[in-house]
Structures are given as C-alpha cells and as structure tokens.
Amino acid sequence: MRELDELFAALGRSRFRSSFQLNAHDNTYLHAKGLPVIQDHARDFITKRLAPALIANDGKQTPFRGHPVFVAQHATACCCRGCLQKWHLIPAGRALRTDEQEYVLQVLMHWLEKVY
C-alpha cells in the first residue's frame, strides 16, 4: 500500500487517471446524500466488488459512471484487482485483508472529499 501523498502525486501525472471528474448528476447525488452515506456505499462496493480473492469479471466490474464512488474508483485506480496491484502494490489472487479494504476506502474518500 502506498502513502497517500505519493499516490495522489502519481495519479496526477497520469493523463487517464487525472481526467476523471464527477458529472452534474453524480455531484448532485454526492451533495444530496453527504459523505457519510457515500462512504457506506464505498465500503459496500469494496466488500462486494474488490475484496474477494477471485472476481469473475475482474477488470470490468466497475462502471465508469452512475455513482460518485465508481468515478472515484477509476480516478484512484481502485477499480479492479489489476489496478490495485499496479498502483497500490496490493497483490491480486487473494482476498483483501481488512486493513487493505480500509486503505482503499481511505483513498476513495480522500478523492471524494477533494471534489465535495
């Protein structure tokens, strides 16, 4: 797992990762629900879509739009196990530990708080 300042500096140098922004609908949803509710949604997505050891549709399980957390996942390379391995040094092929799930949640919330 990477230190957040180092991670976000690297993400900022990526043309692809730094291109993600919330659209008007996602921004409205984020503000209407508030960060605590969005954090609960993020935790649920991590548990169901990233934490298992084997994910049938890994690399395609995170939509590009439809929820602020989905956008944050792509912006922060927390969208699939391959990106978690490449960007966050979290190995694929095994279930995420609790501390790794909390780290991913922290990364997502850091990005969402910056755009809130």
Side-chain angles (χ1 to χ4, degrees), residues 3-84:
E3 196 275 325
L4 289 186
D5 289 337
E6 172 194 333
L7 171 66
F8 278 90
L11 291 168
R13 291 188 297 272
S14 167
R15 182 172 291 187
F16 178 70
R17 300 292 169 193
S18 63
S19 70
F20 286 94
Q21 296 178 332
L22 295 182
N23 63 28
H25 179 266
D26 289 339
N27 196 37
T28 300
Y29 185 83
L30 173 64
H31 283 86
K33 295 294 183 184
L35 288 172
V37 170
I38 298 299
Q39 182 172 332
D40 289 342
H41 294 176
R43 184 175 280 110
D44 186 55
F45 294 149
I46 292 165
T47 300
K48 292 177 180 172
R49 297 171 180 247
L50 287 177
L54 298 173
I55 301 165
N57 60 342
D58 193 33
K60 297 180 178 141
Q61 74 264 40
T62 305
F64 280 90
R65 61 182 76 78
H67 196 286
V69 173
F70 296 155
V71 179
Q73 285 182 273
H74 288 291
T76 61
C78 294
C79 45
C80 68
R81 294 304 296 270
C83 289
L84 283 178

Side-chain angles (χ1 to χ4, degrees), residues 57-113:
N57 60 342
D58 193 33
K60 297 180 178 141
Q61 74 264 40
T62 305
F64 280 90
R65 61 182 76 78
H67 196 286
V69 173
F70 296 155
V71 179
Q73 285 182 273
H74 288 291
T76 61
C78 294
C79 45
C80 68
R81 294 304 296 270
C83 289
L84 283 178
Q85 185 166 326
K86 176 182 176 180
W87 284 88
H88 302 277
L89 312 176
I90 298 174
R94 63 163 175 78
L96 292 180
R97 299 184 317 246
T98 302
D99 65 319
E100 292 168 334
Q101 292 180 50
E102 288 302 314
Y103 164 81
V104 171
L105 182 63
Q106 181 183 11
V107 169
L108 295 173
M109 293 312 298
H110 182 79
W111 189 86
L112 287 164
E113 288 166 1

